[in-house]
Amino acid sequence: MVGLLTSAAGVVGFLSEPDPELQIFALRTLDAEIDSLWTEVAGSVGEIEALFEDETFPERELAALVAAKVYYNLQEYNESMAFALRAGQLFNIDNGGEFEDTIISKCVDTYIALSAMHNPAAPASTTNQTPPQLTGAFPSASNGAASTSAGLSSPTTPFSQSTLPSKSLLSRQDSTVTFDPSLPGGGNAGVVGAHPTPLVLQKDIQKQLHAIIEQLFERCYRERRYRQVVGIAVEARNLGKLREAILRASDDQKKEKKAYTEGSAERSEELMEYVLDICMSIVQERGLRNEILRLILDLLNDIPNPEYFSIAKCIVYLNEYQMASDVLSLLVKKANPKSLATAYQIAFDMYDNSTQEFLKQVRETLPKAPGPSVRMQSMGGTEEGNDETAKESDQLLPAQLSDGTEPSHSASEKQEPLSAEAQKAFESIGDILRGTKTIELDLEFLYRNNRTDMNILNKIKDSLEARNSIFHTAVTLANAFMHAGTTNDDFFRKNLDWLGKAVNWSKFTATAALGVIHRGNLGQGQRLLEPYLPKDQIAGANTGSAYSQGGSLYALGLIYANHETDALDLIRNHFRNATEEVVQHGGALGLGVAGMATGDDSIYDDLKIVLFQDSALNGEAVGIAMGLIMLGTGSIKALEEMIRYAHETQHEKIVRGCALGMALIMYGRQEGADELVNGLLDDPDPILRYGGIQTLALAYCGTSSNKAIRKLLHVAVSDVSDDVRRIAVMSLGFILFRKPNSVPRMVELLSESYNPHVRYGAAMALGISCAGTGLDEAIDLLEPMIKDPTDFVRQGALISLSMIMVQQNEAMNPKVGTIRKTLQKAIGDRHEDAMTKFGSAVSLGIIDAGGRNCTISLQTQTGNLNMAGIVGMAVFTQYWYWFPLTHFLSLSFTPTSVIALDQDLQAPSFKFHSATRPSLFDYPPEQEAKVEDTPEKVKTAVLSTTAQAKRRAQKKEKQAKHESMDIDQTAPATPKTSHPDDKMDVDEEIKKDPEKTEGEKKDGEESKAPEGLKKKMEKEKVGYEIENMSRVLPAQLKFISFPDQRYEPVKKPTGGILLTIDKTPSVPKSLLQLQARKPTKAAAAPETTQDRINAATSAAAATAAGTSQQQGSTSGIAAAARGLFSDSQRTVLHTPSVPWTGSGSGSGAAGQQGETDWGTGSGAAAAAGVLTAIDEDGEGAEEAAVPREFEYHSEGEDEEM
């Protein structure tokens, strides 16, 4: 009967009856049919509530449940939840209906909001001190904070926020809010509205709420869904519940140990990896992240067989260098192959994920055999030195040592005598932490597997006129990126004529390119650049070009990038002794790159002295270098000095350098940079506002912070400066590079903006965030921008496409072939703008970076931030203002390799298995050089009517001669004489048509190419063997396995260096021979001009003695003198093999020996004479050729006329 109820009028009437039995009957009836009758019951909800409030009513919980369902259908979820909680046992979370699921979801949200309110955010630092504040740098409001409302009336925003539509994204209250630790929000702490405002609930309801949540947790435990409990606990900031969930999972697995031994271990590791993953990628608040990591660290230490790699992750982020040393010592002292290999692997991971300062501290605290007292003194000195920086900079990373007991405990352990094996292991760990081993192996990998397509590079050189400095720089950059880290500089040696056209800053960039090519060549870097480095000043003699000297210091820094060695002192000495501004410029950049994140105050003071000289030429580089040295320290002293000087100076280049330097200092500081960001964004100077956006991008890089994204979007559509709007859109890529799939949707509308600067920013944001992914959505947005009417937008689109398509082949992305042809076509198009051609050349270098063995990655293989890559990308974007900064992109190049080592740190020769088809991750095919087509076209195109007339006359004569012959004989004879002519006519027609329809045929071939590739892949077998130290793309890692029974990896295969355990160490093993250690013969360049004259005179005299011709000797000396004192020295230095022989000839045995014996670095040696030549523009009579160059520069204007 109840199922046939079609109206609730009669049943509702029972609610007003005095008999409780009728009321209970009505409530039960309505509870069963509420989904279909709620519209009629809604008017009587007051009576139902009255029954619940009547304490004498026996079924109060039933009345509460009916009221909850009525409010649920009315979509009043807060009231529905409140009454459902009062329903007690009648509200059963195990029913699984839509009503129950909705109320449970509402309960979870309320629980998170209440728990987050009762567990406020911890300060970012582990100390109880408040974060340091900038004093006197910006005007402060009454509450002491930087004024954030001033931006609404300042030039930053031309309209008031109140004029925006009420539902606009920009009108939200949190668009200009600063970080507030008291706000609820878990992972979105500091963002208003991230979680619902907690209801004011009575205590009994709160108890019932907690009871419901506990029931929910218990159900998750029963069903082994621990991740749900972990997620709720992290969002609610309830670390106690997080600890309980992890321990409960461990206990449950112990109970199942007999039946599921391996499975339980795997589930335990997966749960811990999940906690670490959400902590590092989802939790945006640094203070909460520190607490969770410390909790994980405590739990891992309590496990009998802890997961050391997870411990290392926590240690690195928390900056616990003493604990890192203890873990390494513990593993080494176990004295078994697996523990030793694990220690080495952790050391390699630490080098990839840590700063130079952290690694130095770990090395200093490692056990050492001799001199424990001396070691303790050095440790004490380090701690004293760090005290000052801690007060100023609030720590480089979020944490310091928890207490003072750990160092003393470790010190007692270090006094124990070390065995010879342990001492050798610690020495090896020290070398690993210095980065020597990683850099050496990466260099060997890039050298072995170099697949640079020289045809592409030669085509770029031939298509771009070298006399134009922007084109010469473009070819230099393309060569540098293509050969980055490969040590192959033969392009310079084989193109000395082209290289000799470099003057001034083009010469600076070309010299610095050697640093990109030889990056990581630690053993030979200084020797390679010896001819270029600044020489001692000699009265009356020139020591070389200042541009090549400055570029050599820049190159030296790039070779030793992020690797503190003696080269840093060498660059510093040259920088301090330099008097030329160009040399100071290059020296500052080299100091910054080599000393990145060292926090060295003495280097900072040297840079500051040059900055205060107020030179626009070197001021920008010095400002950037100061930021690189203090990278991530958050040094208040440095920030105040740079802000103050940026306001005092009149040079825009210095202001821009200081702005970027301040952004670098705040790298990774997150909410600690909010005060600086707000102060810079309120500044009337657009360059400082530009720096404020950069600070925001680097402080929140990789966090996907909603607060930072809203700020960037607000500035992107409101600032009056195009530069600020451009960098605001571009910075979205830095914030979201861990979530590349969300960027195309976010910048889709911005890519169609009327403002070309915003469109350029959108293109670069896609390139930065989606680099190396081949993301189709990003490519679809960028392809129309290739045809944008603005040249620099086309430039940005091409560069971004190359960054996205790096290491992609047609099997992975069918569009890569078309994009490569588009890049080459833009270079050869004489109607294309210079900026677009520049972008195309650089793009061709990027897409084949590192000999096609490097990708662009802003995070490491283990998922942490790639500090060097992020910094390199941030400085690279400044090529908009200064081309030499383009070289910084090489810091983002990450070799994609798997290099397996055994516990002796040697690379064994063995193979591992890839469960894919070979062509899926293969190298792109090389471009075919079509050299023979050009002369054929010329020959067939030149046809004379006279020749045709002669042929017709010959035909007539032949016909007349053979009139008496038989037709059978003449018939074949005539076609034989005329057939070649007819054939030529046909060839002419055929060769004219392909010239017109060549592009159409290529398009047709491109469309057929993927189909042919698919058929080829179908024929291939799945699975093939790969040699050790081979290219393995990130997408390929999940298919890699180690079937070799001898070598077993210590962890899940990842890219980079992977330690393996040799299970049969007694059996002789085959090792890979390192090939990149060839000795480099230094360039035979005399140090002074007088030495060069003497060498030239001696060579000329020897030539005269051999040939007995006085005239030849005189001409030899004259040629050498012209080479020494002319503005380009091209007469003598065009020899492809010997740069400085003292004579004008480089052929013969000397030339052959130079080509065969020099090996690595021969290009650098050959180019030394050209690049060190002194430019004397404007002083010599040979300047007559300059007007012709200017005529070439204005080619576009001539065409318009």
Side-chain angles (χ1 to χ4, degrees):
M1 287 181 63
V2 178
L4 301 176
L5 189 63
T6 58
S7 175
V11 179
V12 170
F14 289 155
L15 295 175
S16 58
E17 292 291 333
D19 187 359
E21 294 295 334
L22 292 176
Q23 293 172 341
I24 293 172
F25 171 77
L27 290 175
R28 289 176 178 172
T29 305
L30 293 176
D31 180 40
E33 299 292 335
I34 194 65
D35 291 337
S36 59
L37 303 177
W38 68 270
T39 53
E40 300 181 56
V41 181
S44 303
V45 69
E47 297 180 15
I48 300 175
E49 292 184 20
L51 291 176
F52 165 75
E53 294 171 358
D54 185 2
E55 295 182 359
T56 62
F57 186 66
E59 294 288 344
R60 293 181 62 205
E61 293 182 350
L62 180 59
L65 181 61
V66 175
K69 292 184 177 181
V70 173
Y71 280 117
Y72 163 74
N73 286 283
L74 291 172
Q75 296 185 0
E76 296 290 343
Y77 299 124
N78 289 332
E79 289 79 0
S80 178
M81 181 195 66
F83 280 104
L85 292 175
R86 290 183 173 97
Q89 299 297 327
L90 295 180
F91 177 66
N92 188 1
I93 64 173
D94 295 328
N95 284 344
E98 185 178 350
F99 165 71
E100 286 78 11
D101 291 343
T102 304
I103 298 304
I104 290 173
S105 177
K106 190 65 181 177
C107 289
V108 170
D109 291 339
T110 306
Y111 169 79
I112 290 174
L114 286 171
S115 183
M117 184 65 72
H118 290 89
N119 296 283
S125 62
T126 57
T127 61
N128 294 326
Q129 300 175 355
T130 57
Q133 302 292 323
L134 292 171
T135 58
F138 299 109
S140 298
S142 58
N143 60 356
S147 174
T148 56
S149 61
L152 299 178
S153 58
S154 71
T156 308
T157 49
F159 47 81
S160 173
Q161 200 173 16
S162 61
T163 61
L164 296 174
S166 58
K167 294 185 179 180
S168 171
L169 175 65
L170 305 179
S171 64
R172 295 179 182 177
Q173 295 178 355
D174 57 343
S175 58
T176 57
V177 73
T178 56
F179 176 76
D180 184 1
S182 63
L183 293 174
N188 292 321
V191 180
V192 178
H195 291 285
T197 304
L199 299 174
V200 181
L201 300 178
Q202 299 176 3
K203 290 185 178 180
D204 59 335
I205 301 180
Q206 291 189 19
K207 290 181 181 179
Q208 189 63 27
L209 173 65
H210 284 282
I212 291 292
I213 296 299
E214 289 297 331
Q215 292 180 27
L216 181 63
F217 287 165
E218 285 297 329
R219 187 174 71 178
C220 292
Y221 292 150
R222 290 195 305 270
E223 298 175 359
R224 302 295 185 262
R225 294 186 295 175
Y226 304 104
R227 293 189 177 189
Q228 295 188 5
V229 181
V230 167
I232 295 174
V234 171
E235 281 288 321
R237 302 169 181 263
N238 193 335
L239 300 186
K241 185 59 66 177
L242 178 61
R243 177 188 290 270
E244 176 188 326
I246 296 175
L247 293 177
R248 179 67 178 269
S250 179
D251 293 339
D252 291 345
Q253 290 170 6
K254 288 179 182 178
K255 295 177 183 178
E256 301 174 357
K257 186 175 181 181
K258 294 182 179 179
Y260 305 99
T261 303
E262 293 186 2
S264 60
E266 291 177 0
R267 289 201 300 273
S268 177
E269 293 179 3
E270 289 177 359
L271 180 63
M272 198 59 68
E273 289 180 1
Y274 174 73
V275 177
L276 277 173
D277 182 58
I278 63 173
C279 181
M280 303 301 295
S281 60
I282 296 179
V283 177
Q284 298 177 6
E285 183 191 343
R286 199 169 52 163
L288 177 62
R289 187 184 299 130
N290 292 348
E291 294 181 0
I292 297 175
L293 288 175
R294 290 188 180 280
L295 172 64
I296 296 172
L297 204 54
D298 293 339
L299 294 174
L300 288 172
N301 287 331
D302 294 338
I303 300 175
N305 296 317
E307 174 60 33
Y308 287 106
F309 297 111
S310 300
I311 292 176
K313 273 188 178 182
C314 301
I315 288 173
V316 169
Y317 187 85
L318 294 173
N319 201 29
E320 293 280 6
Y321 63 89
Q322 184 62 62
M323 192 176 292
S325 176
D326 293 341
V327 169
L328 293 173
S329 301
L330 177 64
L331 289 170
V332 170
K333 290 177 181 178
K334 286 187 176 182
N336 61 71
K338 184 174 182 180
S339 298
L340 186 60
T342 303
Y344 289 154
Q345 185 68 65
I346 290 176
F348 278 116
D349 292 344
M350 283 184 180
Y351 174 75
D352 290 337
N353 297 283
S354 308
T355 62
Q356 291 191 49
E357 182 185 19
F358 176 83
L359 297 171
K360 183 179 180 181
Q361 291 170 337
V362 175
R363 292 199 306 269
E364 290 176 351
T365 53
L366 282 174
K368 300 177 183 176
S373 59
V374 176
R375 181 177 62 254
M376 291 303 298
Q377 291 176 4
S378 66
M379 287 174 56
T382 304
E383 289 176 0
E384 289 176 4
N386 285 344
D387 265 354
E388 287 183 2
T389 54
K391 292 177 183 177
E392 272 181 15
S393 63
D394 187 33
Q395 308 155 356
L396 177 63
L397 286 177
Q400 286 272 6
L401 286 174
S402 3
D403 52 25
T405 59
E406 291 182 1
S408 61
H409 177 67
S410 301
S412 63
E413 292 179 354
K414 290 180 183 178
Q415 294 177 0
E416 298 178 2
L418 296 176
S419 63
E421 293 79 6
Q423 183 178 352
K424 180 181 178 182
F426 283 122
E427 291 176 357
S428 300
I429 290 176
D431 292 337
I432 294 172
L433 293 177
R434 288 186 187 91
T436 307
K437 196 67 178 178
T438 301
I439 294 173
E440 178 187 2
L441 292 172
D442 285 342
L443 183 73
E444 176 68 22
F445 162 72
L446 294 174
Y447 180 84
R448 279 172 171 267
N449 300 279
N450 182 15
R451 297 293 185 89
T452 303
D453 190 350
M454 295 302 297
N455 293 328
I456 297 177
L457 191 57
N458 290 327
K459 184 176 181 180
I460 297 174
K461 178 184 69 71
D462 296 338
S463 301
L464 300 179
E465 175 56 46
R467 289 179 297 177
N468 193 332
S469 61
I470 185 176
F471 292 154
H472 195 285
T473 300
V475 179
T476 299
L477 295 173
N479 173 46
F481 291 158
M482 283 186 181
H483 294 98
T486 63
T487 70
N488 184 358
D489 51 16
D490 288 345
F491 179 78
F492 283 159
R493 177 170 57 88
K494 295 178 181 178
N495 296 278
L496 291 179
D497 289 336
W498 166 84
L499 190 62
K501 298 177 183 179
V503 294
N504 299 336
W505 289 106
S506 297
K507 184 174 292 184
F508 177 93
T509 306
T511 309
L514 293 173
V516 178
I517 296 172
H518 290 276
R519 184 190 173 192
N521 196 355
L522 304 180
Q524 306 176 27
Q526 295 184 33
R527 189 177 181 184
L528 286 168
L529 295 175
E530 183 63 30
Y532 302 88
L533 294 174
K535 306 295 189 302
D536 296 334
Q537 295 292 335
I538 300 177
N542 292 322
T543 57
S545 171
Y547 293 96
S548 65
Q549 293 176 2
S552 66
L553 294 179
Y554 185 14
L556 199 59
L558 290 170
I559 290 177
Y560 297 91
N562 198 22
H563 182 69
E564 187 179 5
T565 57
D566 295 337
L568 185 62
D569 296 330
L570 176 63
I571 301 172
R572 184 180 178 186
N573 291 333
H574 283 302
F575 175 76
R576 296 172 67 177
N577 298 331
T579 56
E580 294 281 346
E581 292 181 341
V582 178
V583 180
Q584 291 178 339
H585 182 96
L589 293 176
L591 266 180
V593 178
M596 188 186 304
T598 56
D600 193 321
D601 289 330
S602 59
I603 298 179
Y604 172 82
D605 291 336
D606 291 342
L607 292 167
K608 184 173 63 176
I609 292 173
V610 177
L611 178 70
F612 288 166
Q613 295 176 2
D614 203 41
S615 169
L617 186 60
N618 55 32
E620 182 177 15
V622 170
I624 296 173
M626 292 167 70
L628 289 171
I629 295 296
M630 292 294 176
L631 179 66
T633 61
S635 173
I636 298 302
K637 176 185 174 183
L639 290 172
E640 289 180 346
E641 290 175 345
M642 297 175 76
I643 294 170
R644 188 180 306 112
Y645 194 74
H647 284 118
E648 292 175 359
T649 185
Q650 300 297 318
H651 297 291
E652 290 187 358
K653 290 178 71 66
I654 296 179
V655 178
R656 185 173 293 111
C658 289
L660 180 54
M662 288 186 286
L664 293 170
I665 291 175
M666 281 299 180
Y667 165 81
R669 306 296 296 181
Q670 296 186 23
E671 63 272 5
D674 283 355
E675 183 188 3
L676 177 63
V677 170
N678 292 326
L680 291 174
L681 290 181
D682 290 340
D683 199 284
D685 188 350
I687 300 179
L688 288 180
R689 297 203 302 275
Y690 186 99
I693 295 297
Q694 288 179 309
T695 305
L696 183 67
L698 291 180
Y700 287 91
C701 59
T703 62
S704 305
S705 170
N706 294 331
K707 179 181 67 172
I709 293 171
R710 288 192 177 96
K711 173 71 76 173
L712 292 175
L713 292 175
H714 173 65
V715 175
V717 297
S718 62
D719 200 280
V720 296
S721 170
D722 287 335
D723 288 346
V724 179
R725 298 178 71 176
R726 182 180 69 247
I727 191 64
V729 181
M730 192 188 306
S731 297
L732 291 171
F734 288 98
I735 305 294
L736 293 167
F737 67 78
R738 279 179 167 167
K739 298 180 180 179
N741 293 323
S742 62
V743 179
R745 184 175 66 255
M746 185 171 294
V747 302
E748 183 176 3
L749 294 178
L750 295 173
S751 65
E752 300 174 358
S753 171
Y754 72 93
N755 190 327
H757 292 267
V758 174
R759 299 199 299 271
Y760 173 87
M764 292 300 293
L766 290 169
I768 293 168
S769 60
C770 305
T773 62
L775 193 64
D776 291 332
E777 292 83 355
I779 297 171
D780 292 340
L781 287 179
L782 288 170
E783 282 182 330
M785 302 177 74
I786 298 176
K787 301 177 182 179
D788 194 276
T790 307
D791 52 359
F792 61 79
V793 177
R794 298 196 297 272
Q795 179 192 77
L798 293 173
I799 292 177
S800 296
L801 278 173
S802 65
M803 293 166 68
I804 295 172
M805 285 297 192
V806 63
Q807 286 198 324
Q808 299 284 315
N809 58 22
E810 291 193 358
M812 300 170 65
N813 195 316
K815 293 184 179 180
V816 66
T818 305
I819 291 174
R820 283 181 175 272
K821 287 183 170 60
T822 302
L823 295 174
Q824 296 179 19
K825 182 180 178 182
I827 290 178
D829 189 356
R830 60 192 299 265
H831 301 290
E832 190 60 84
D833 294 315
M835 294 184 69
T836 308
K837 289 185 176 182
F838 176 86
S840 300
V842 173
S843 300
L844 285 171
I846 294 173
I847 202 171
D848 289 337
R852 297 183 172 180
N853 292 298
C854 288
T855 187
I856 297 176
S857 179
L858 303 188
Q859 54 184 336
T860 62
Q861 300 284 354
T862 55
N864 289 350
L865 298 180
N866 181 5
M867 182 190 68
I870 294 172
V871 170
M873 183 66 72
V875 181
F876 159 73
T877 59
Q878 303 308 299
Y879 83 89
W880 179 279
Y881 302 102
W882 193 233
F883 284 155
L885 297 180
T886 311
H887 286 312
F888 269 83
L889 183 62
S890 63
L891 300 181
S892 301
F893 292 165
T894 303
T896 52
S897 62
V898 170
I899 304 174
L901 303 180
D902 58 14
Q903 59 264 32
D904 297 326
L905 296 182
Q906 296 176 333
S909 177
F910 75 103
K911 296 181 180 181
F912 43 90
H913 184 75
S914 176
T916 60
R917 291 182 172 87
S919 60
L920 181 59
F921 298 106
D922 198 8
Y923 288 95
E926 292 189 3
Q927 184 182 13
E928 297 180 0
K930 298 181 180 179
V931 184
E932 300 178 357
D933 292 346
T934 304
E936 289 182 0
K937 291 182 179 179
V938 173
K939 290 180 180 179
T940 55
V942 180
L943 294 176
S944 171
T945 54
T946 305
Q948 294 178 357
K950 288 181 179 179
R951 285 195 295 271
R952 287 194 295 270
Q954 290 175 359
K955 291 178 184 178
K956 292 180 180 179
E957 290 178 1
K958 290 178 181 180
Q959 289 177 358
K961 288 181 181 180
H962 297 285
E963 280 180 357
S964 60
M965 293 184 180
D966 296 334
I967 296 176
D968 294 335
Q969 296 175 353
T970 58
T974 303
K976 283 181 181 179
T977 56
S978 61
H979 183 66
D981 295 337
D982 295 339
K983 219 174 200 179
M984 183 176 290
D985 294 339
V986 173
D987 286 345
E988 292 168 11
E989 295 175 1
I990 292 175
K991 292 196 176 189
K992 287 180 182 178
D993 292 338
E995 291 178 6
K996 297 179 182 179
T997 61
E998 184 178 359
E1000 298 176 1
K1001 288 189 175 181
K1002 285 183 179 179
D1003 294 339
E1005 292 174 0
E1006 289 171 10
S1007 61
K1008 295 179 181 179
E1011 296 180 0
L1013 184 62
K1014 288 181 180 178
K1015 293 180 179 178
K1016 178 184 176 182
M1017 291 181 63
E1018 290 175 358
K1019 296 179 181 178
E1020 292 178 340
K1021 294 182 179 180
V1022 177
Y1024 64 102
E1025 303 298 320
I1026 302 178
E1027 289 283 349
N1028 187 20
M1029 200 175 286
S1030 298
R1031 187 183 85 150
V1032 177
L1033 301 186
Q1036 190 180 2
L1037 287 172
K1038 57 187 176 183
F1039 302 105
I1040 296 297
S1041 60
F1042 286 75
D1044 195 309
Q1045 299 297 326
R1046 179 170 183 177
Y1047 297 101
E1048 178 186 358
V1050 297
K1051 67 172 186 177
K1052 183 180 178 181
T1054 58
I1057 298 173
L1058 184 65
L1059 266 294
T1060 60
I1061 303 171
D1062 188 356
K1063 294 184 177 180
T1064 56
S1066 59
V1067 179
K1069 56 186 176 182
S1070 176
L1071 300 177
L1072 294 176
Q1073 299 298 324
L1074 300 183
Q1075 303 174 2
R1077 292 180 174 178
K1078 293 182 180 179
T1080 303
K1081 185 174 180 179
E1087 294 187 356
T1088 62
T1089 306
Q1090 187 62 40
D1091 292 338
R1092 293 178 179 179
I1093 295 176
N1094 294 339
T1097 306
S1098 300
T1103 303
T1107 58
S1108 302
Q1109 294 181 359
Q1110 184 66 28
Q1111 184 178 359
S1113 174
T1114 306
S1115 62
I1117 297 175
R1122 284 197 302 271
L1124 290 169
F1125 295 108
S1126 65
D1127 61 339
S1128 63
Q1129 295 188 349
R1130 299 171 194 165
T1131 307
V1132 182
L1133 299 176
H1134 285 177
T1135 59
S1137 55
V1138 182
W1140 274 100
T1141 59
S1143 65
S1145 174
S1147 58
Q1152 293 175 2
Q1153 182 180 3
E1155 289 185 2
T1156 58
D1157 294 343
W1158 279 8
T1160 305
S1162 60
V1170 176
L1171 293 178
T1172 55
I1174 302 172
D1175 299 318
E1176 299 179 358
D1177 294 340
E1179 295 182 2
E1182 296 186 10
E1183 286 296 314
V1186 172
R1188 289 195 297 272
E1189 295 182 3
F1190 281 113
E1191 289 176 4
Y1192 181 83
H1193 290 174
S1194 60
E1195 181 179 358
E1197 298 179 2
D1198 296 341
E1199 291 177 358
E1200 293 178 2
M1201 294 176 62

